[in-house]
């Protein structure tokens, strides 16, 4: 069976069926596949018209999902969504006013998973935790609280 070349709309629909895409990333993928810009514009307009492509809803849904998992810092979530082509201003508006509890729980999960069974009260151990959590986007207040919690729980 000979497969005909797909239109930009068909290809965009295929891409969206596999994974949520931002308009920006979807546009880039279609243009990289050598579709005409006018055909890409028409396809994206049609997808938006029928609400198959809605950056605000998709971004909000992804943010909520990643936030609820408590596996990433808020900074990491924002970076991840920006890399997927969502608007940084919109993403910042999704961040809850109070994030301390989320950040603390996420940092604690990450640190206990990474350093399970290797808990020590020496300086090098504390530095390793600090560096690891800082690289994940957590601030010093959260990191200090997590280190204290880990060391106090081990001493019990």
């Amino acid at each position: 069976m000979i497969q005909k070349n797909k239109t930009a709309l068909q290809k965009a629909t295929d891409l969206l069926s596999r994974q949520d895409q931002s308009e920006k990333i979807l546009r880039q993928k279609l243009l990289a596949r050598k579709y005409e810009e006018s055909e890409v514009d028409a396809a994206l307009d049609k997808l938006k018209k029928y609400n198959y492509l809605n950056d605000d809803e998709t971004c909000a849904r992804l943010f909520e999902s990643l936030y609820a998992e408590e596996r990433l810092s808020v900074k990491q979530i924002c970076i991840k969504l920006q890399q997927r082509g969502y608007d940084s201003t919109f993403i910042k508006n999704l961040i809850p006013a109070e994030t301390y509890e989320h950040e603390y729980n996420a940092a604690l999960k990450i640190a206990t998973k990474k350093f399970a069974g290797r808990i020590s009260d020496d300086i090098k151990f504390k530095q390793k935790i600090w560096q690891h959590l800082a690289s994940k986007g957590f601030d010093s207040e959260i990191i200090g609280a997590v280190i204290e919690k880990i060391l106090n729980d081990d001493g019990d």
Side-chain angles (χ1 to χ4, degrees):
M1 182 174 137
I2 299 173
Q3 183 178 2
K4 295 181 180 178
N5 289 337
K6 294 181 178 183
T7 66
L9 180 61
Q10 290 170 327
K11 188 61 183 176
T13 305
D14 283 351
L15 291 169
L16 284 173
S17 71
R18 291 187 184 102
Q19 179 183 3
D20 284 331
Q21 310 273 334
S22 68
E23 181 179 352
K24 178 182 176 183
I25 298 296
L26 193 55
R27 176 180 301 283
Q28 288 173 353
K29 288 181 178 183
L30 293 172
L31 291 173
R33 286 176 170 81
K34 307 292 187 216
Y35 288 104
E36 294 293 323
E37 194 164 342
S38 60
E39 185 182 5
V40 171
D41 290 340
L44 295 179
D45 287 343
K46 192 166 195 172
L47 290 170
K48 286 192 290 189
K49 177 182 175 186
Y50 291 107
N51 208 28
Y52 292 121
L53 183 63
N54 186 326
D55 279 2
D56 292 350
E57 285 180 14
T58 305
C59 182
R61 188 173 58 248
L62 285 171
F63 183 91
E64 288 301 317
S65 174
L66 293 170
Y67 191 83
E69 286 178 2
E70 290 186 339
R71 297 174 120 196
L72 301 171
S73 69
V74 172
K75 284 182 186 177
Q76 280 184 305
I77 293 170
C78 292
I79 290 168
K80 188 173 215 154
L81 293 175
Q82 286 173 358
Q83 288 172 340
R84 289 188 179 188
Y86 297 106
D87 180 56
S88 61
T89 306
F90 183 77
I91 295 167
K92 286 183 176 121
N93 289 332
L94 295 173
I95 300 171
E98 183 54 49
T99 60
Y100 182 87
E101 186 177 337
H102 168 271
E103 294 287 278
Y104 177 79
N105 291 336
L108 187 59
K109 278 183 184 180
I110 290 168
T112 53
K113 183 177 179 181
K114 173 85 174 169
F115 299 101
R118 299 184 296 181
I119 296 177
S120 164
D121 197 15
D122 70 351
I123 299 289
K124 285 187 178 185
F125 177 74
K126 291 177 186 177
Q127 287 175 337
K128 283 182 183 180
I129 294 176
W130 195 283
Q131 288 172 344
H132 184 68
L133 293 178
S135 74
K136 301 285 186 189
F138 295 102
D139 67 24
S140 58
E141 181 183 356
I142 297 292
I143 297 170
V146 167
I147 290 172
E148 186 177 319
K149 170 78 171 155
I150 289 172
L151 294 178
N152 286 341
D153 282 357
D154 187 53
D156 291 341

